[in-house]
């Protein structure tokens, strides 16, 4: 298996666990936006939205460009791609293990008489 930074994966999954942060990312996937534009549809303070944005920034999912008093946010998808790769490798690993278990269990099944022999009664 490829080595992944556990801290980076933890930050990514933690950031994606919250529906507000997923909504912020969904908005940013359509294009850059100012923090105030991101905050507009939410029924929470600008400070609360800024805290969600900070979590997304720490996870590397959002980039903030500051020009004077304007904070422009943009989506960064690399951490999601890394998480998707990790999930795909984990899925392949467990599918191979379960396939091997299934093959082993099939070999362990007791041999039974064929259906033709069962139907023949004296």
């Amino acid at each position: 298996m490829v080595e992944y930074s556990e801290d980076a994966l933890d930050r990514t999954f933690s950031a994606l666990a919250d529906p507000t942060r997923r909504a912020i990312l969904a908005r940013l996937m359509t294009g850059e936006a100012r923090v105030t534009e991101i905050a507009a549809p939410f029924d929470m303070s600008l400070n609360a939205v800024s805290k969600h944005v900070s979590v997304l920034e720490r996870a590397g999912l959002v980039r903030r460009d500051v020009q004077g008093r304007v904070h422009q946010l943009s989506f960064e998808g690399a951490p999601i791609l890394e998480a998707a790769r990790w999930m795909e490798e984990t899925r392949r690993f467990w599918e191979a293990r379960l396939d091997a278990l299934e093959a082993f269990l099939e070999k362990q099944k007791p041999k039974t008489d064929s259906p033709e022999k069962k139907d023949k009664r004296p």
Side-chain angles (χ1 to χ4, degrees):
M1 284 184 111
V2 174
E3 292 290 320
Y4 293 96
S5 166
E6 286 188 28
D7 289 341
L9 283 173
D10 289 349
R11 285 190 301 270
T12 299
F13 287 123
S14 178
L16 294 173
D18 185 271
T20 300
R21 293 192 285 268
R22 290 193 304 272
I24 291 169
L25 289 177
R27 166 53 187 90
L28 290 174
M29 283 189 253
T30 66
E32 293 183 347
R34 294 188 316 257
V35 176
T36 53
E37 294 170 331
I38 294 295
F42 296 103
D43 187 25
M44 62 179 76
S45 69
L46 182 59
N47 189 40
V49 172
S50 290
K51 287 180 181 182
H52 283 293
V53 169
S54 293
V55 171
L56 294 168
E57 284 180 289
R58 281 193 300 276
L61 294 163
V62 168
R63 184 181 70 237
R64 181 189 304 247
D65 293 317
V66 180
Q67 295 179 2
R69 293 176 57 169
V70 177
H71 292 230
Q72 195 77 8
L73 304 175
S74 59
F75 173 72
E76 295 290 327
I80 292 176
L81 290 174
E82 286 299 307
R85 285 186 196 112
W86 177 84
M87 286 187 289
E88 178 60 21
E89 283 189 18
T90 302
R91 183 192 62 77
R92 284 194 310 254
F93 171 81
W94 283 109
E95 279 185 357
R97 289 291 182 111
L98 291 171
D99 289 346
L101 176 60
E102 181 180 33
F104 172 78
L105 292 173
E106 283 296 319
K107 288 180 184 177
Q108 300 302 312
K109 280 186 179 177
K111 302 289 185 207
T112 59
D113 291 335
S114 67
E116 296 167 357
K117 290 182 181 178
K118 287 183 178 180
D119 288 342
K120 292 182 181 176
R121 295 184 185 128

